[in-house]
Amino acid sequence: MSTRKHAHKAAMAAATSAVQAAFSTSASATASPSAPAASWWSLLVSDVHCVLQRDPAARNLLEAWTIYPGVHAIAHHRMAHALWTRGWRYLPRWISFVSRCVTQVDIHPGARIGARFFIDHGNGVVIGETAEIGDDVTLYHGVTLGGTAWHAGKRHPTVGNDVVVGAGAKILGPIRVGDRARIAANSVVIEAVPAGATVVGIPGRVVAPQRNTTHGFDLDHHLIPDPVGKAIACLLDRVALLERTHLAAGDTNCATCDDACIEPIFARTLHQPAHQSVHLE
């Protein structure tokens, strides 16, 4: 019995020393070449403090440490990633599995994540093995950084610094999302995104080349353009103009029709002079 206890203690001591050594190695790997290596603890503290900066609902550090699943998920990941970079395989995957059961956030231990990473709400976030995430990135619930190939190698996205990814967005494949980009909620991004751009839709399209903000992180999701709505409005405007043109030329029976128009907008615009512009509401 004593022999088993000594063997167990020796194994635990070896695992502890490996974790401590891995933390320093992982911190050096995630730091930029010109910046001093940050310890895993300093990275975790910065992750917690950024919660207070980006979530108005967070009232104090106690809440951030204890009841934010995104904080718990990144804490577990930094531990698992440290072991992964040291060549461990099963134990990091087991830590990732336990973290997913507790937080509903699935981060592969091979993913490389920068400083001040914030997952708001957390539920349903998936980050693949070869994903790379820069500093000051914010993800909302339901975000997927997924792969599009079954072969080994780089198959997940690279996300730059200061990027905001809306709820339910999917970024797929070994593409790059540039610094300060914004991905709208429920978008599916399959092509590279330029720095500072705003992407909306399925598949994602760049609808705003660059957006300037005067206050920290740009979280004004309600100001993201609606390209589909704009296209429909332009089509309605064009149809109304064509109807007025045909009416003026006598090529339509709208003038003699006694039925109510099914499109109220045409009823308002058909009898306007052709030189007047149409304003759609």
Side-chain angles (χ1 to χ4, degrees):
M1 183 64 69
S2 60
T3 304
R4 291 183 179 179
K5 288 183 178 180
H6 287 303
H8 179 71
K9 289 181 179 179
M12 291 299 295
T16 302
S17 60
V19 170
Q20 291 175 348
F23 281 143
S24 59
T25 303
S26 176
S28 301
T30 56
S32 60
S34 59
S39 67
W40 71 272
W41 177 252
S42 64
L43 289 174
L44 183 57
V45 169
S46 67
D47 294 331
V48 174
H49 279 272
C50 77
V51 174
L52 301 180
Q53 300 171 1
R54 304 181 210 172
D55 186 6
R59 295 177 297 180
N60 51 59
L61 287 175
L62 178 61
E63 288 187 358
W65 277 109
T66 57
I67 61 176
Y68 271 74
V71 171
H72 300 161
I74 188 61
H76 292 146
H77 169 73
R78 296 207 185 279
M79 181 185 301
H81 181 70
L83 292 170
W84 186 269
T85 58
R86 294 283 291 183
W88 294 59
R89 289 298 178 260
Y90 180 80
L91 182 57
R93 294 297 301 270
W94 183 84
I95 294 173
S96 175
F97 169 76
V98 172
S99 177
R100 181 179 61 182
C101 294
V102 174
T103 65
Q104 301 302 309
V105 176
D106 187 359
I107 308 178
H108 192 282
R112 299 181 60 183
I113 299 178
R116 297 173 297 279
F117 179 59
F118 178 43
I119 304 176
D120 199 2
H121 301 291
N123 192 44
V125 171
V126 177
I127 301 176
E129 176 186 5
T130 61
E132 299 176 64
I133 301 176
D135 297 335
D136 301 299
V137 172
T138 300
L139 306 184
Y140 285 86
H141 54 282
V143 169
T144 297
L145 304 184
T148 56
W150 290 352
H151 58 76
K154 178 65 174 175
R155 59 191 186 278
H156 296 92
T158 297
V159 179
N161 301 324
D162 301 296
V163 174
V164 177
V165 184
K170 318 299 179 186
I171 306 176
L172 306 177
I175 61 176
R176 177 171 179 81
V177 178
D179 297 345
R180 303 176 306 283
R182 294 192 308 163
I183 310 299
N186 294 318
S187 299
V188 178
V189 182
I190 56 177
E191 296 181 351
V193 178
T198 298
V199 175
V200 176
I202 303 174
R205 297 177 297 275
V206 176
V207 296
Q210 189 168 0
R211 173 178 167 82
N212 296 323
T213 178
T214 57
H215 59 282
F217 287 86
D218 189 358
L219 301 180
D220 294 329
H221 293 181
H222 63 290
L223 300 180
I224 290 179
D226 181 7
V228 176
K230 182 178 179 181
I232 293 176
C234 291
L235 287 174
L236 289 175
D237 194 0
R238 180 63 177 171
V239 170
L241 177 61
L242 292 173
E243 290 286 350
R244 289 203 321 275
T245 303
H246 285 295
L247 178 63
D251 296 335
T252 178
N253 61 354
C254 289
T256 61
C257 179
D258 57 355
D259 291 334
C261 187
I262 61 174
E263 293 291 346
I265 186 171
F266 298 147
R268 295 197 305 269
T269 60
L270 282 175
H271 299 287
Q272 293 179 4
H275 65 275
Q276 294 184 7
S277 60
V278 179
H279 298 283
L280 302 181
E281 297 178 359

